[in-house]
Amino acid sequence: MAVATGMARHVLVYRTVTESTAQGTAGRGSVLGAGRRSGHRMGKWMAPFGGISAANWLAPVAMRHFFDYGTTREQLAQIPIAVRRPRRTEPASGAAVTAHAGRLSGARMISSPLCLFDCDIPVDGSTALIVSNRDTAQDCQHDGVYVEAIGTALRGRPSWDQYHDMASMASKGAADQLWQRSALRPQRRRCRTALRRFSILALVVVGIAGVLRSG
């Protein structure tokens, strides 16, 4: 917004997470434990039932997606398989994909229907990018990435378990605003994403954004 309104020509955007260090050897409960969050917003309603992890909060979303669209565990498994596929120029062999699928089918269930490989990966790390006015691109050594539009709208009942459409969540308002601000249409776009979070969120986002048909 600062660049778009002319208040700045360059903005440094960064984020740092320390999830892995924060949980140490005590697991996710040490970060999202009922003792710490039981009095915080929705935590006071979920902690008494043991819902101390985002896996517990997203499992109903996945169940709703399965119910509405007939999504299966096998279909959902294709997302963590793709994320964990070795990065190489040639496509992964069928044998390699089958091996991953075998591991997933026997993976520990965390919060049904989400297994271990469907959950996000606690990491320590930082990311940073520089947002600049588009007229500075000609001075750069490499081609820039142009931002067509951004959607940030948060509509409805903003709580993990209180959205009117449990299979869309916060993505709905942001997606609607994104396409309202752009002359492009989602059906003509190619999509690429780097997923570190829950596999069900990938299905939710690309469906609600219109990149793929929901379900």
Side-chain angles (χ1 to χ4, degrees):
M1 182 178 292
V3 174
T5 58
M7 297 178 66
R9 289 181 58 78
H10 305 279
V11 174
L12 174 64
V13 183
Y14 70 92
R15 184 187 184 210
T16 296
V17 294
T18 57
E19 289 187 44
S20 180
T21 298
Q23 75 175 28
T25 59
R28 301 299 276 171
S30 63
V31 181
L32 301 169
R36 275 177 28 133
R37 295 176 63 94
S38 58
H40 177 68
R41 296 182 183 176
M42 67 180 189
K44 63 184 178 182
W45 307 109
M46 296 186 173
F49 299 96
I52 61 173
S53 166
N56 307 134
W57 311 336
L58 285 171
V61 175
M63 290 294 287
R64 186 70 200 189
H65 201 281
F66 283 24
F67 179 83
D68 286 348
Y69 305 115
T71 311
T72 65
R73 279 281 314 135
E74 292 72 23
Q75 291 170 336
L76 188 64
Q78 298 309 306
I79 297 171
I81 286 175
V83 170
R84 289 166 173 79
R85 181 175 296 163
R87 293 296 179 261
R88 51 192 180 189
T89 55
E90 70 276 11
S93 68
V97 174
T98 301
H100 283 292
R103 287 188 62 195
L104 282 165
S105 64
R108 176 163 53 97
M109 191 62 66
I110 302 301
S111 194
S112 182
L114 304 179
C115 74
L116 179 65
F117 293 104
D118 290 314
C119 298
D120 69 350
I121 305 170
V123 298
D124 292 353
S126 297
T127 57
L129 58 91
I130 298 174
V131 179
S132 300
N133 190 290
R134 65 182 303 152
D135 63 12
T136 64
Q138 60 186 1
D139 299 324
C140 298
Q141 295 182 0
H142 306 284
D143 292 337
V145 176
Y146 290 89
V147 179
E148 167 70 16
I150 294 176
T152 59
L154 184 61
R155 297 167 180 159
R157 298 172 297 197
S159 177
W160 289 62
D161 64 334
Q162 294 297 318
Y163 280 100
H164 175 71
D165 179 6
M166 282 293 290
S168 66
M169 299 183 65
S171 308
K172 183 66 169 65
D176 289 346
Q177 187 182 62
L178 171 70
W179 298 118
Q180 288 170 1
R181 293 175 170 179
S182 173
L184 301 176
R185 298 275 64 87
Q187 292 79 7
R188 303 187 64 181
R189 302 297 94 203
R190 297 181 64 184
C191 177
R192 174 170 293 183
T193 180
L195 179 72
R196 186 189 67 84
R197 304 197 65 79
F198 290 84
S199 55
I200 187 60
L201 291 179
L203 287 183
V204 169
V205 170
V206 297
I208 297 303
V211 177
L212 297 175
R213 183 171 59 86
S214 292

